[in-house]
Amino acid sequence: MVKVRNYLQHRLNPLHVYCRLLDCGFSRRTAHRVSGLYERWFYRSSLPEA
């Protein structure tokens, strides 16, 4: 279960999303905006409270 968590944590990381958007042909500006929105709307809200 730890392997799955680590895999998802890596794949869903906003920086990873940004890099994959660049790989898909997005401009740096657009990829930055999309990954920023993703981080605020999804990534931070899905993290467990510490």
Side-chain angles (χ1 to χ4, degrees):
M1 198 62 176
V2 172
K3 283 186 177 184
V4 173
R5 186 195 65 186
N6 288 341
Y7 174 80
L8 289 175
Q9 193 173 32
H10 170 74
R11 288 293 189 169
L12 298 176
N13 184 311
L15 180 58
H16 185 84
V17 171
Y18 170 77
C19 291
R20 297 300 67 82
L21 290 171
L22 291 178
D23 289 346
C24 290
F26 283 77
S27 69
R28 288 180 184 229
R29 182 178 182 185
T30 303
H32 186 264
R33 285 182 173 182
V34 171
S35 64
L37 290 172
Y38 163 77
E39 180 179 10
R40 279 176 288 206
W41 289 350
F42 178 75
Y43 188 73
R44 286 186 189 173
S45 65
S46 66
L47 293 175
E49 294 294 323

Short mmCIF file of all heavy atoms in Angstrom, two decimals:
data_model
loop_
_atom_site.label_atom_id
_atom_site.label_comp_id
_atom_site.label_asym_id
_atom_site.label_seq_id
_atom_site.Cartn_x
_atom_site.Cartn_y
_atom_site.Cartn_z
N MET A 1 0.82 -1.19 0.00
CA MET A 1 0.00 0.00 0.00
C MET A 1 0.86 1.26 0.00
O MET A 1 0.47 2.27 -0.58
CB MET A 1 -0.92 -0.05 1.23
CG MET A 1 -2.07 0.86 1.13
SD MET A 1 -3.07 0.39 -0.27
CE MET A 1 -4.38 1.48 -0.11
N VAL A 2 2.01 1.20 0.63
CA VAL A 2 2.91 2.35 0.68
C VAL A 2 3.42 2.66 -0.73
O VAL A 2 3.54 3.83 -1.10
CB VAL A 2 4.09 2.09 1.65
CG1 VAL A 2 5.12 3.18 1.57
CG2 VAL A 2 3.57 1.96 3.08
N LYS A 3 3.69 1.63 -1.52
CA LYS A 3 4.16 1.85 -2.89
C LYS A 3 3.12 2.59 -3.72
O LYS A 3 3.45 3.48 -4.50
CB LYS A 3 4.50 0.52 -3.57
CG LYS A 3 5.80 -0.07 -3.14
CD LYS A 3 6.12 -1.30 -3.96
CE LYS A 3 7.45 -1.87 -3.59
NZ LYS A 3 7.83 -3.00 -4.44
N VAL A 4 1.87 2.21 -3.56
CA VAL A 4 0.79 2.87 -4.29
C VAL A 4 0.69 4.33 -3.88
O VAL A 4 0.58 5.22 -4.72
CB VAL A 4 -0.55 2.14 -4.07
CG1 VAL A 4 -1.70 2.91 -4.68
CG2 VAL A 4 -0.49 0.73 -4.63
N ARG A 5 0.74 4.57 -2.58
CA ARG A 5 0.66 5.94 -2.08
C ARG A 5 1.81 6.80 -2.61
O ARG A 5 1.61 7.91 -3.08
CB ARG A 5 0.68 5.97 -0.56
CG ARG A 5 0.44 7.39 -0.01
CD ARG A 5 0.80 7.52 1.42
NE ARG A 5 2.24 7.29 1.51
CZ ARG A 5 2.92 7.22 2.62
NH1 ARG A 5 2.32 7.29 3.76
NH2 ARG A 5 4.21 7.01 2.61
N ASN A 6 3.03 6.26 -2.58
CA ASN A 6 4.19 7.00 -3.07
C ASN A 6 4.09 7.26 -4.57
O ASN A 6 4.44 8.34 -5.04
CB ASN A 6 5.47 6.24 -2.76
CG ASN A 6 5.82 6.27 -1.29
OD1 ASN A 6 5.33 7.11 -0.55
ND2 ASN A 6 6.65 5.35 -0.87
N TYR A 7 3.60 6.28 -5.31
CA TYR A 7 3.43 6.45 -6.76
C TYR A 7 2.43 7.57 -7.05
O TYR A 7 2.69 8.45 -7.86
CB TYR A 7 2.95 5.13 -7.38
CG TYR A 7 2.62 5.25 -8.84
CD1 TYR A 7 3.62 5.23 -9.80
CD2 TYR A 7 1.30 5.37 -9.27
CE1 TYR A 7 3.32 5.34 -11.14
CE2 TYR A 7 0.99 5.49 -10.61
CZ TYR A 7 2.01 5.47 -11.54
OH TYR A 7 1.69 5.59 -12.87
N LEU A 8 1.28 7.52 -6.39
CA LEU A 8 0.26 8.55 -6.61
C LEU A 8 0.74 9.92 -6.14
O LEU A 8 0.47 10.93 -6.79
CB LEU A 8 -1.03 8.16 -5.90
CG LEU A 8 -1.79 7.00 -6.51
CD1 LEU A 8 -2.98 6.63 -5.65
CD2 LEU A 8 -2.22 7.30 -7.93
N GLN A 9 1.45 9.95 -5.03
CA GLN A 9 1.96 11.20 -4.51
C GLN A 9 2.91 11.85 -5.52
O GLN A 9 2.89 13.06 -5.72
CB GLN A 9 2.67 10.95 -3.18
CG GLN A 9 2.98 12.19 -2.39
CD GLN A 9 3.53 11.83 -1.02
OE1 GLN A 9 4.21 10.80 -0.86
NE2 GLN A 9 3.24 12.63 -0.03
N HIS A 10 3.72 11.03 -6.17
CA HIS A 10 4.63 11.55 -7.18
C HIS A 10 3.88 11.99 -8.43
O HIS A 10 4.09 13.09 -8.94
CB HIS A 10 5.66 10.48 -7.57
CG HIS A 10 6.47 10.85 -8.76
ND1 HIS A 10 7.46 11.80 -8.72
CD2 HIS A 10 6.43 10.42 -10.04
CE1 HIS A 10 7.99 11.93 -9.92
NE2 HIS A 10 7.38 11.11 -10.75
N ARG A 11 2.99 11.16 -8.93
CA ARG A 11 2.28 11.45 -10.18
C ARG A 11 1.33 12.64 -10.05
O ARG A 11 1.09 13.34 -11.02
CB ARG A 11 1.47 10.23 -10.64
CG ARG A 11 2.30 9.12 -11.16
CD ARG A 11 2.96 9.55 -12.43
NE ARG A 11 3.60 8.41 -13.05
CZ ARG A 11 4.06 8.42 -14.27
NH1 ARG A 11 3.97 9.49 -15.01
NH2 ARG A 11 4.65 7.37 -14.76
N LEU A 12 0.77 12.85 -8.88
CA LEU A 12 -0.20 13.92 -8.69
C LEU A 12 0.44 15.22 -8.19
O LEU A 12 -0.24 16.21 -7.98
CB LEU A 12 -1.30 13.46 -7.73
CG LEU A 12 -2.13 12.27 -8.22
CD1 LEU A 12 -3.13 11.85 -7.15
CD2 LEU A 12 -2.83 12.58 -9.53
N ASN A 13 1.75 15.21 -8.02
CA ASN A 13 2.47 16.40 -7.58
C ASN A 13 2.33 17.49 -8.64
O ASN A 13 2.50 17.24 -9.84
CB ASN A 13 3.94 16.01 -7.40
CG ASN A 13 4.77 17.13 -6.85
OD1 ASN A 13 4.72 18.25 -7.33
ND2 ASN A 13 5.55 16.82 -5.83
N PRO A 14 2.03 18.73 -8.24
CA PRO A 14 1.85 19.81 -9.21
C PRO A 14 3.06 20.04 -10.13
O PRO A 14 2.89 20.38 -11.30
CB PRO A 14 1.59 21.04 -8.34
CG PRO A 14 1.02 20.49 -7.09
CD PRO A 14 1.71 19.17 -6.87
N LEU A 15 4.26 19.86 -9.62
CA LEU A 15 5.44 20.02 -10.48
C LEU A 15 5.48 18.94 -11.55
O LEU A 15 5.82 19.21 -12.71
CB LEU A 15 6.72 19.99 -9.65
CG LEU A 15 8.02 20.16 -10.42
CD1 LEU A 15 8.02 21.49 -11.18
CD2 LEU A 15 9.21 20.09 -9.49
N HIS A 16 5.11 17.74 -11.20
CA HIS A 16 5.05 16.65 -12.17
C HIS A 16 3.98 16.95 -13.22
O HIS A 16 4.21 16.74 -14.42
CB HIS A 16 4.73 15.32 -11.46
CG HIS A 16 4.77 14.14 -12.36
ND1 HIS A 16 5.94 13.49 -12.68
CD2 HIS A 16 3.78 13.50 -13.02
CE1 HIS A 16 5.66 12.50 -13.50
NE2 HIS A 16 4.36 12.48 -13.72
N VAL A 17 2.84 17.44 -12.79
CA VAL A 17 1.76 17.81 -13.72
C VAL A 17 2.26 18.90 -14.67
O VAL A 17 2.04 18.82 -15.89
CB VAL A 17 0.50 18.27 -12.96
CG1 VAL A 17 -0.53 18.86 -13.90
CG2 VAL A 17 -0.08 17.11 -12.17
N TYR A 18 2.95 19.88 -14.15
CA TYR A 18 3.52 20.97 -14.97
C TYR A 18 4.45 20.41 -16.04
O TYR A 18 4.34 20.75 -17.23
CB TYR A 18 4.27 21.96 -14.07
CG TYR A 18 5.08 22.99 -14.82
CD1 TYR A 18 4.46 24.08 -15.43
CD2 TYR A 18 6.46 22.87 -14.91
CE1 TYR A 18 5.21 25.04 -16.11
CE2 TYR A 18 7.21 23.82 -15.59
CZ TYR A 18 6.58 24.89 -16.19
OH TYR A 18 7.32 25.83 -16.86
N CYS A 19 5.35 19.53 -15.65
CA CYS A 19 6.30 18.95 -16.61
C CYS A 19 5.59 18.12 -17.68
O CYS A 19 5.96 18.15 -18.85
CB CYS A 19 7.33 18.09 -15.88
SG CYS A 19 8.46 19.06 -14.86
N ARG A 20 4.56 17.38 -17.28
CA ARG A 20 3.83 16.57 -18.26
C ARG A 20 3.06 17.47 -19.23
O ARG A 20 2.93 17.14 -20.40
CB ARG A 20 2.87 15.60 -17.57
CG ARG A 20 3.52 14.55 -16.68
CD ARG A 20 4.51 13.60 -17.34
NE ARG A 20 5.76 14.14 -17.85
CZ ARG A 20 6.86 14.39 -17.12
NH1 ARG A 20 6.87 14.17 -15.83
NH2 ARG A 20 7.95 14.86 -17.69
N LEU A 21 2.56 18.60 -18.74
CA LEU A 21 1.88 19.54 -19.64
C LEU A 21 2.86 20.11 -20.66
O LEU A 21 2.51 20.27 -21.84
CB LEU A 21 1.22 20.67 -18.83
CG LEU A 21 0.01 20.27 -18.00
CD1 LEU A 21 -0.40 21.42 -17.08
CD2 LEU A 21 -1.15 19.86 -18.87
N LEU A 22 4.08 20.40 -20.23
CA LEU A 22 5.10 20.87 -21.18
C LEU A 22 5.39 19.79 -22.21
O LEU A 22 5.55 20.09 -23.40
CB LEU A 22 6.38 21.25 -20.44
CG LEU A 22 6.32 22.49 -19.56
CD1 LEU A 22 7.66 22.69 -18.86
CD2 LEU A 22 5.94 23.72 -20.36
N ASP A 23 5.47 18.54 -21.77
CA ASP A 23 5.71 17.43 -22.69
C ASP A 23 4.59 17.30 -23.71
O ASP A 23 4.83 16.86 -24.84
CB ASP A 23 5.85 16.11 -21.93
CG ASP A 23 7.13 16.01 -21.14
OD1 ASP A 23 8.05 16.83 -21.36
OD2 ASP A 23 7.21 15.10 -20.28
N CYS A 24 3.38 17.68 -23.32
CA CYS A 24 2.22 17.59 -24.23
C CYS A 24 2.14 18.76 -25.19
O CYS A 24 1.24 18.81 -26.03
CB CYS A 24 0.93 17.50 -23.42
SG CYS A 24 0.72 15.95 -22.55
N GLY A 25 3.03 19.74 -25.05
CA GLY A 25 3.07 20.84 -25.99
C GLY A 25 2.49 22.15 -25.50
O GLY A 25 2.39 23.11 -26.26
N PHE A 26 2.11 22.21 -24.24
CA PHE A 26 1.60 23.47 -23.68
C PHE A 26 2.76 24.46 -23.56
O PHE A 26 3.90 24.07 -23.33
CB PHE A 26 1.01 23.25 -22.29
CG PHE A 26 -0.36 22.63 -22.29
CD1 PHE A 26 -0.52 21.27 -22.51
CD2 PHE A 26 -1.49 23.39 -22.04
CE1 PHE A 26 -1.77 20.69 -22.51
CE2 PHE A 26 -2.74 22.82 -22.03
CZ PHE A 26 -2.89 21.47 -22.27
N SER A 27 2.46 25.75 -23.68
CA SER A 27 3.49 26.76 -23.45
C SER A 27 3.80 26.78 -21.94
O SER A 27 3.00 26.32 -21.12
CB SER A 27 3.00 28.14 -23.90
OG SER A 27 1.96 28.60 -23.05
N ARG A 28 4.94 27.34 -21.60
CA ARG A 28 5.31 27.41 -20.17
C ARG A 28 4.28 28.20 -19.37
O ARG A 28 3.95 27.82 -18.26
CB ARG A 28 6.69 28.04 -20.01
CG ARG A 28 7.79 27.15 -20.46
CD ARG A 28 9.13 27.83 -20.28
NE ARG A 28 10.17 26.96 -20.80
CZ ARG A 28 11.26 26.65 -20.13
NH1 ARG A 28 11.48 27.17 -18.95
NH2 ARG A 28 12.15 25.85 -20.67
N ARG A 29 3.82 29.28 -19.94
CA ARG A 29 2.85 30.12 -19.24
C ARG A 29 1.55 29.37 -18.99
O ARG A 29 1.01 29.39 -17.87
CB ARG A 29 2.59 31.39 -20.05
CG ARG A 29 1.64 32.33 -19.38
CD ARG A 29 1.45 33.57 -20.20
NE ARG A 29 0.55 34.48 -19.49
CZ ARG A 29 0.13 35.60 -19.98
NH1 ARG A 29 0.51 35.99 -21.19
NH2 ARG A 29 -0.68 36.37 -19.29
N THR A 30 1.03 28.71 -20.01
CA THR A 30 -0.22 27.97 -19.87
C THR A 30 -0.06 26.80 -18.90
O THR A 30 -0.91 26.57 -18.04
CB THR A 30 -0.71 27.46 -21.24
OG1 THR A 30 -0.86 28.57 -22.11
CG2 THR A 30 -2.02 26.73 -21.11
N ALA A 31 1.05 26.07 -19.02
CA ALA A 31 1.30 24.95 -18.12
C ALA A 31 1.40 25.43 -16.67
O ALA A 31 0.90 24.78 -15.75
CB ALA A 31 2.58 24.22 -18.52
N HIS A 32 2.02 26.58 -16.46
CA HIS A 32 2.15 27.14 -15.11
C HIS A 32 0.78 27.50 -14.54
O HIS A 32 0.47 27.21 -13.38
CB HIS A 32 3.06 28.37 -15.15
CG HIS A 32 3.37 28.93 -13.81
ND1 HIS A 32 2.66 29.97 -13.26
CD2 HIS A 32 4.30 28.57 -12.90
CE1 HIS A 32 3.14 30.24 -12.07
NE2 HIS A 32 4.14 29.40 -11.82
N ARG A 33 -0.04 28.11 -15.37
CA ARG A 33 -1.38 28.49 -14.90
C ARG A 33 -2.23 27.26 -14.59
O ARG A 33 -2.89 27.22 -13.55
CB ARG A 33 -2.09 29.32 -15.96
CG ARG A 33 -1.58 30.73 -16.05
CD ARG A 33 -2.35 31.51 -17.07
NE ARG A 33 -1.98 32.90 -17.05
CZ ARG A 33 -2.52 33.82 -17.80
NH1 ARG A 33 -3.47 33.50 -18.66
NH2 ARG A 33 -2.13 35.07 -17.72
N VAL A 34 -2.21 26.30 -15.47
CA VAL A 34 -3.02 25.09 -15.27
C VAL A 34 -2.54 24.33 -14.04
O VAL A 34 -3.36 23.91 -13.20
CB VAL A 34 -3.00 24.19 -16.51
CG1 VAL A 34 -3.64 22.84 -16.23
CG2 VAL A 34 -3.70 24.88 -17.68
N SER A 35 -1.24 24.16 -13.89
CA SER A 35 -0.73 23.42 -12.72
C SER A 35 -0.98 24.20 -11.43
O SER A 35 -1.21 23.60 -10.38
CB SER A 35 0.75 23.09 -12.88
OG SER A 35 1.53 24.25 -12.92
N GLY A 36 -0.96 25.53 -11.50
CA GLY A 36 -1.28 26.35 -10.32
C GLY A 36 -2.73 26.18 -9.90
O GLY A 36 -3.04 26.04 -8.71
N LEU A 37 -3.62 26.20 -10.88
CA LEU A 37 -5.04 25.97 -10.58
C LEU A 37 -5.26 24.56 -10.03
O LEU A 37 -6.01 24.36 -9.08
CB LEU A 37 -5.89 26.17 -11.84
CG LEU A 37 -6.00 27.60 -12.33
CD1 LEU A 37 -6.69 27.64 -13.70
CD2 LEU A 37 -6.75 28.45 -11.33
N TYR A 38 -4.59 23.60 -10.65
CA TYR A 38 -4.68 22.22 -10.18
C TYR A 38 -4.23 22.12 -8.72
O TYR A 38 -4.88 21.48 -7.90
CB TYR A 38 -3.83 21.32 -11.07
CG TYR A 38 -3.51 19.99 -10.46
CD1 TYR A 38 -4.47 18.98 -10.43
CD2 TYR A 38 -2.27 19.73 -9.91
CE1 TYR A 38 -4.19 17.75 -9.86
CE2 TYR A 38 -1.98 18.51 -9.34
CZ TYR A 38 -2.94 17.53 -9.31
OH TYR A 38 -2.65 16.32 -8.74
N GLU A 39 -3.12 22.78 -8.40
CA GLU A 39 -2.60 22.72 -7.02
C GLU A 39 -3.60 23.32 -6.03
O GLU A 39 -3.86 22.74 -4.98
CB GLU A 39 -1.28 23.46 -6.93
CG GLU A 39 -0.70 23.44 -5.52
CD GLU A 39 0.63 24.16 -5.42
OE1 GLU A 39 1.02 24.85 -6.38
OE2 GLU A 39 1.27 24.03 -4.36
N ARG A 40 -4.16 24.46 -6.36
CA ARG A 40 -5.08 25.13 -5.44
C ARG A 40 -6.41 24.41 -5.31
O ARG A 40 -6.97 24.31 -4.22
CB ARG A 40 -5.32 26.57 -5.87
CG ARG A 40 -4.20 27.49 -5.42
CD ARG A 40 -4.45 28.84 -5.94
NE ARG A 40 -4.16 28.68 -7.38
CZ ARG A 40 -3.77 29.64 -8.19
NH1 ARG A 40 -3.68 30.83 -7.79
NH2 ARG A 40 -3.49 29.41 -9.44
N TRP A 41 -6.96 23.94 -6.42
CA TRP A 41 -8.31 23.37 -6.40
C TRP A 41 -8.35 21.90 -6.04
O TRP A 41 -9.31 21.44 -5.46
CB TRP A 41 -8.97 23.55 -7.75
CG TRP A 41 -9.36 24.95 -8.05
CD1 TRP A 41 -9.36 26.02 -7.20
CD2 TRP A 41 -9.79 25.46 -9.30
NE1 TRP A 41 -9.76 27.15 -7.85
CE2 TRP A 41 -10.04 26.84 -9.14
CE3 TRP A 41 -10.00 24.87 -10.54
CZ2 TRP A 41 -10.48 27.63 -10.19
CZ3 TRP A 41 -10.44 25.67 -11.58
CH2 TRP A 41 -10.68 27.02 -11.39
N PHE A 42 -7.32 21.14 -6.41
CA PHE A 42 -7.39 19.71 -6.19
C PHE A 42 -6.33 19.20 -5.22
O PHE A 42 -6.65 18.58 -4.21
CB PHE A 42 -7.25 18.95 -7.52
CG PHE A 42 -7.26 17.45 -7.36
CD1 PHE A 42 -8.45 16.79 -7.10
CD2 PHE A 42 -6.10 16.73 -7.44
CE1 PHE A 42 -8.46 15.42 -6.92
CE2 PHE A 42 -6.10 15.37 -7.27
CZ PHE A 42 -7.28 14.71 -7.01
N TYR A 43 -5.07 19.49 -5.50
CA TYR A 43 -3.96 18.91 -4.75
C TYR A 43 -4.00 19.27 -3.26
O TYR A 43 -3.94 18.40 -2.42
CB TYR A 43 -2.63 19.33 -5.37
CG TYR A 43 -1.44 18.63 -4.78
CD1 TYR A 43 -1.19 17.29 -5.08
CD2 TYR A 43 -0.56 19.30 -3.94
CE1 TYR A 43 -0.08 16.65 -4.57
CE2 TYR A 43 0.55 18.66 -3.43
CZ TYR A 43 0.78 17.34 -3.74
OH TYR A 43 1.88 16.70 -3.22
N ARG A 44 -4.12 20.53 -2.95
CA ARG A 44 -4.13 20.95 -1.54
C ARG A 44 -5.37 20.46 -0.80
O ARG A 44 -5.31 20.11 0.37
CB ARG A 44 -4.05 22.47 -1.43
CG ARG A 44 -2.69 23.02 -1.75
CD ARG A 44 -2.64 24.48 -1.50
NE ARG A 44 -1.39 25.05 -1.99
CZ ARG A 44 -1.15 26.32 -2.03
NH1 ARG A 44 -2.06 27.20 -1.62
NH2 ARG A 44 -0.01 26.77 -2.50
N SER A 45 -6.50 20.42 -1.48
CA SER A 45 -7.73 19.99 -0.82
C SER A 45 -7.76 18.49 -0.61
O SER A 45 -8.50 17.99 0.24
CB SER A 45 -8.95 20.42 -1.62
OG SER A 45 -8.98 19.78 -2.87
N SER A 46 -6.96 17.74 -1.38
CA SER A 46 -6.96 16.29 -1.24
C SER A 46 -5.93 15.79 -0.22
O SER A 46 -5.92 14.62 0.12
CB SER A 46 -6.69 15.61 -2.59
OG SER A 46 -5.38 15.90 -3.03
N LEU A 47 -5.06 16.68 0.26
CA LEU A 47 -4.06 16.27 1.24
C LEU A 47 -4.73 16.08 2.61
O LEU A 47 -5.58 16.87 3.00
CB LEU A 47 -2.97 17.33 1.37
CG LEU A 47 -2.07 17.54 0.16
CD1 LEU A 47 -1.13 18.71 0.42
CD2 LEU A 47 -1.28 16.29 -0.15
N PRO A 48 -4.30 15.05 3.32
CA PRO A 48 -4.86 14.87 4.67
C PRO A 48 -4.35 15.95 5.61
O PRO A 48 -3.25 16.47 5.45
CB PRO A 48 -4.32 13.50 5.10
CG PRO A 48 -3.14 13.26 4.23
CD PRO A 48 -3.37 14.02 2.95
N GLU A 49 -5.17 16.33 6.55
CA GLU A 49 -4.78 17.34 7.54
C GLU A 49 -3.69 16.78 8.42
O GLU A 49 -3.76 15.64 8.88
CB GLU A 49 -5.99 17.73 8.38
CG GLU A 49 -7.06 18.45 7.60
CD GLU A 49 -6.63 19.80 7.07
OE1 GLU A 49 -5.87 20.50 7.78
OE2 GLU A 49 -7.02 20.14 5.95
N ALA A 50 -2.68 17.58 8.72
CA ALA A 50 -1.57 17.13 9.56
C ALA A 50 -1.84 17.43 11.01
O ALA A 50 -2.58 18.23 11.40
CB ALA A 50 -0.27 17.79 9.12
#
